[in-house]
Amino acid sequence: MGSRVAIEKQFRLVRTGLFVVWALISAVVVAWSVRSAQHQALSDVMQKAGETLSVQTEVLSGVLDKYRLLPPLLSRQSSIRALFIRDADGNAQALDARRTAVEIAAMSAAMDVAFFFANGELLANARGSGVASAEDVPALIEVARQGRLGRAALSYGEGQRTYAFSSGVRRDGRFVGAVVVYVDFYRVEAAWALSARRIFVTDKSGTVFLANDPAWRQRPLSDLRQTGRIDRYLIDGGFEERLDLVRRLPLLEWDLHVLADPAPVSAARFNAAAIATLACLLAGLVALVALRRNEVVIIRARADRATALRLERVVRDRTRALSVTNRSLSHEVDVRRAAEERLRKTQNELVQTAKLAALGQMSTALSHEYNQPLAAIRSYADNALRFLDRGLTSEVAGNLTRINGLVERMAELSRTLLSFSRKPGATIGPVPLGTIIDEALLLARPRARAAGIEEIAVAPEVAGLHVMGGRIRLGQVFVNLVNNAIDALSGRPGGRIEIEARRAGDRVLVTVADNGPGITPDQVSQVFDPFFTTKGVGEGIGIGLSIADNIIRDFGGAITAGNRPEGGACFTIDLAAAAAVDPVSTPPMAPAGGDQAR
Ligand code: ADP
């Protein structure tokens, strides 16, 4: 969170910096745009004004040239000259002269045409009244008298301005009068009035003589400048360009002025300023958006990185915790393994103890089993000695053969006992079920006989079956079961023990049943508990079935207890079936090698 605030602050700084840069650049761009637009517009305006000036100079010069030539031409005509002759009574031909003047004025479109006598007296003029002010006329006549072209700018009648040209009329070399033509500027001014620009003419005294704005007429130029009527056409903002374009008309010593219209310049300045500002704003906006997007990308990237780092840390912590757990687990596994090892040892010891207990149970019967043949051997040997004395060698041989058989029987029993009492191994493999049961019965039968059991029947199918197990341990299970059955049947007439086996798929089910009292229903679930016994002190310790259960479990099998419907207990052992093993390599409870699987 702290880093996010720092980033925001950093971005704010960058934004402020960029804004300042943008503002500066924008100011420069706007100023430059305005300046260049003004320059362009100004040169356009000046060019147009210059064109107007040239055209109007030509127009004005053309008009004046036309009327300049008219008085000299008229004064040379005889009909005009004739008008200056007075009749005998000294009367002038005013009527004829008037008519002529009107005709000429109409044809030339002059404002007025006048004829003056040499003394300044008006002979006639076209308009009949309002002849130009008297003070100008003598000057015009005087110049004409001198043979030159008279000229003067005058006011005519009610504020009308005109330019007059005069030429002298001579009869027989004598100056008799002058023809004066007044130029009409009405059309010129009317044409100027159509222009948006101010167009005006100043005479040599600096007074406005002609103008397309009537208010400007006959006012001194300095007066107009003072009132700002011309000065306001100066462009402000450091551009001292005068929009007052002037051309001199040399003949008349007039100045023709054209004032350029500054409106397009202002408009161009405004437009340039507006466009440049908008462009700068747009560029700023685009830059702002790009900046924002960039900031978002950076913030997201940093957030992602922070998340990744956090995750990495969590993973590292978890891994560390896991490896600690792992270590403690493996330690626990070691402890368990050691405990298991101890347990196995204890169990083996217990098995051994149970075995010794079983041996103890059987010892009386077994000793009887040895004593009987021993007694027989003694009597056979005694008799053999007697037969030897009498020289009955064939009888001796017969007795020796019997002794041999008895010794063989005792040796087998002793081998089996030795093997049974040996500590079992831990291997599991295919073992012959029939052989193991035979060996168990070899040990148990003497006790059964002593207990008055009528028969121990082993079903013939048992002989051909093989199961997965350990030879000595499985033998012990059968010894235990048969011993228990003997206990149950002891003292009961017609006692019978039946051992059967059948193959069910890949399993082999072996049953050891008797026709004793059976197990009471409430004890069925307890018979496999360690130290559970119903026998009296010194008769049972209650570990036989518990050990049998453990052994069968070790073989991957199961042992269950129950009662036969016809009475008597029935124990069922469920073991994995195995393929047959080579009988030659399967000695009965090998004297050495522990609990061989086969
Ligand atoms: P022990 O033989 O020392 O009593 P076992 O674990 O071998 O210990 O047997 C436990 C108990 O199971 C016996 O005390 C007996 O009550 C009962 N039992 C075992 N086999 C039989 C049987 N064939 N018939 C009746 N009861 C039996």
Side-chain angles (χ1 to χ4, degrees):
M1 226 38 218
S3 75
R4 199 193 161 90
V5 170
I7 292 171
E8 292 279 357
K9 197 174 167 191
Q10 205 174 316
F11 282 150
R12 239 192 332 270
L13 262 173
V14 170
R15 272 205 292 270
T16 311
L18 285 175
F19 176 76
V20 169
V21 170
W22 171 80
L24 284 174
I25 290 175
S26 296
V28 169
V29 166
V30 170
W32 178 82
S33 304
V34 167
R35 211 184 156 97
S36 70
Q38 172 178 300
H39 189 73
Q40 183 64 39
L42 198 61
S43 71
D44 277 4
V45 162
M46 296 300 266
Q47 190 191 336
K48 282 189 186 131
E51 283 165 8
T52 305
L53 184 64
S54 298
V55 169
Q56 295 311 326
T57 304
E58 284 308 308
V59 168
L60 199 57
S61 299
V63 169
L64 287 170
D65 276 352
K66 178 179 144 194
Y67 291 105
R68 183 171 61 99
L69 298 174
L70 204 54
L73 280 173
L74 291 174
S75 64
R76 278 173 182 76
Q77 282 192 8
S78 55
S79 59
I80 302 291
R81 280 204 297 236
L83 293 173
F84 287 86
I85 300 169
R86 297 175 190 261
D87 63 9
D89 301 334
N91 293 325
Q93 307 172 46
L95 224 67
D96 286 348
R98 173 93 197 269
R99 200 182 309 124
T100 307
V102 168
E103 273 174 19
I104 294 167
M107 280 191 291
S108 65
M111 181 186 274
D112 201 0
V113 174
F115 302 120
F116 288 96
F117 284 112
N119 61 0
E121 184 193 339
L122 176 70
L123 168 60
N125 74 326
R127 293 176 62 151
S129 65
V131 181
S133 54
E135 66 261 32
D136 289 313
V137 174
L140 282 169
I141 293 172
E142 185 49 40
V143 175
R145 183 198 303 277
Q146 290 167 15
R148 289 186 291 130
L149 183 68
R151 63 186 71 193
L154 341 144
S155 292
Y156 192 92
E158 303 104 26
Q160 288 186 14
R161 283 122 309 112
T162 181
Y163 199 87
F165 291 105
S166 67
S167 183
V169 180
R170 289 165 203 282
R171 280 177 64 88
D172 308 326
R174 200 169 55 87
F175 178 73
V176 290
V179 177
V180 182
V181 174
Y182 295 86
V183 182
D184 187 359
F185 291 112
Y186 172 75
R187 284 201 180 78
V188 175
E189 279 186 326
W192 289 356
L194 297 176
S195 171
R197 299 178 188 87
R198 294 265 180 269
I199 304 172
F200 60 97
V201 167
T202 50
D203 60 18
K204 60 184 173 203
S205 70
T207 307
V208 175
F209 184 68
L210 300 174
N212 57 357
D213 182 351
W216 286 31
R217 287 169 196 158
Q218 287 172 319
R219 294 187 63 175
L221 187 60
S222 56
D223 188 14
L224 289 172
R225 285 206 199 286
Q226 255 168 26
T227 56
R229 296 202 172 188
I230 291 176
D231 285 342
R232 77 191 166 101
Y233 290 103
L234 293 177
I235 300 293
D236 52 0
F239 286 84
E240 292 295 323
E241 308 272 353
R242 272 187 79 129
L243 296 184
D244 182 7
L245 275 77
V246 184
R247 181 141 331 151
R248 177 144 283 218
L249 303 171
L251 188 71
L252 309 175
E253 294 179 332
W254 279 3
D255 286 329
L256 178 60
H257 298 252
V258 172
L259 298 185
D261 180 11
V265 179
S266 310
R269 276 162 62 90
F270 177 78
N271 287 347
I275 290 170
T277 307
L278 275 177
C280 287
L281 281 175
L282 198 69
L285 202 69
V286 168
L288 189 69
V289 168
L291 199 69
R292 256 331 277 177
R293 195 167 290 176
N294 189 36
E295 283 175 10
V296 167
V297 166
I298 290 175
I299 286 175
R300 193 173 301 155
R302 291 207 181 173
D304 286 355
R305 201 170 140 58
T307 311
L309 280 175
R310 224 175 5 254
L311 267 176
E312 224 168 76
R313 204 175 313 125
V314 168
V315 167
R316 212 169 33 238
D317 290 352
R318 292 262 162 93
T319 309
R320 201 175 302 135
L322 265 177
S323 64
V324 167
T325 314
N326 215 18
R327 266 201 299 280
S328 77
L329 262 179
S330 70
H331 175 71
E332 212 166 281
V333 166
D334 288 347
V335 168
R336 289 242 168 124
R337 197 168 291 150
E340 252 171 41
E341 193 54 41
R342 269 203 307 281
L343 189 71
R344 187 177 301 282
K345 254 193 202 144
T346 314
Q347 267 180 356
N348 285 348
E349 277 161 18
L350 229 102
V351 169
Q352 204 58 11
T353 311
K355 223 149 52 177
L356 292 178
L359 280 174
Q361 271 184 330
M362 297 184 294
S363 60
T364 321
L366 283 173
S367 67
H368 182 70
E369 198 69 3
Y370 277 104
N371 288 337
Q372 220 183 10
L374 275 175
I377 287 171
R378 177 178 290 159
S379 56
Y380 281 133
D382 286 346
N383 288 344
L385 281 172
R386 271 182 224 124
F387 287 139
L388 205 62
D389 286 344
R390 290 179 209 159
L392 297 169
T393 49
S394 61
E395 263 74 11
V396 172
N399 274 16
L400 286 177
T401 308
R402 280 184 207 105
I403 288 172
N404 214 17
L406 286 169
V407 167
E408 185 53 44
R409 228 183 86 199
M410 287 169 73
E412 194 190 342
L413 184 64
S414 141
R415 254 203 314 276
T416 307
L417 254 178
L418 203 67
S419 169
F420 182 74
S421 58
R422 184 170 294 122
K423 275 198 171 174
T427 49
I428 295 168
V431 289
L433 187 64
T435 314
I436 290 170
I437 290 174
D438 283 350
E439 286 166 358
L441 291 181
L442 187 69
L443 298 178
R445 255 187 227 283
R447 189 165 171 255
R449 263 200 305 278
I453 308 298
E454 211 162 72
E455 190 188 6
I456 300 180
V458 179
E461 303 86 59
V462 173
L465 289 171
H466 288 80
V467 292
M468 295 301 288
R471 189 161 181 155
I472 296 174
R473 284 170 289 169
L474 192 54
Q476 188 184 345
V477 170
F478 285 114
V479 168
N480 280 351
L481 291 179
V482 173
N483 271 340
N484 277 345
I486 293 167
D487 287 340
L489 293 171
S490 138
R492 292 168 75 97
R496 193 179 154 76
I497 298 172
E498 285 168 4
I499 300 177
E500 289 170 359
R502 67 186 167 84
R503 181 143 182 183
D506 59 347
R507 313 295 296 180
V508 170
L509 299 176
V510 192
T511 54
V512 179
D514 60 66
N515 56 353
I519 309 165
T520 55
D522 57 316
Q523 289 173 353
V524 166
S525 58
Q526 298 175 45
V527 291
F528 295 106
D529 291 348
F531 306 110
F532 173 80
T533 181
T534 54
K535 296 167 191 171
V537 181
E539 289 174 10
I541 52 173
I543 57 167
L545 285 181
S546 152
I547 282 176
D549 182 51
N550 272 329
I551 288 170
I552 299 297
R553 256 186 234 272
D554 280 352
F555 296 164
I559 178 167
T560 50
N563 289 307
R564 295 205 299 184
E566 63 269 31
C570 174
F571 288 84
T572 307
I573 300 171
D574 175 355
L575 286 169
V581 287
D582 183 5
V584 179
S585 59
T586 315
M589 288 199 185
D595 191 1
Q596 284 176 350
R598 293 174 302 172

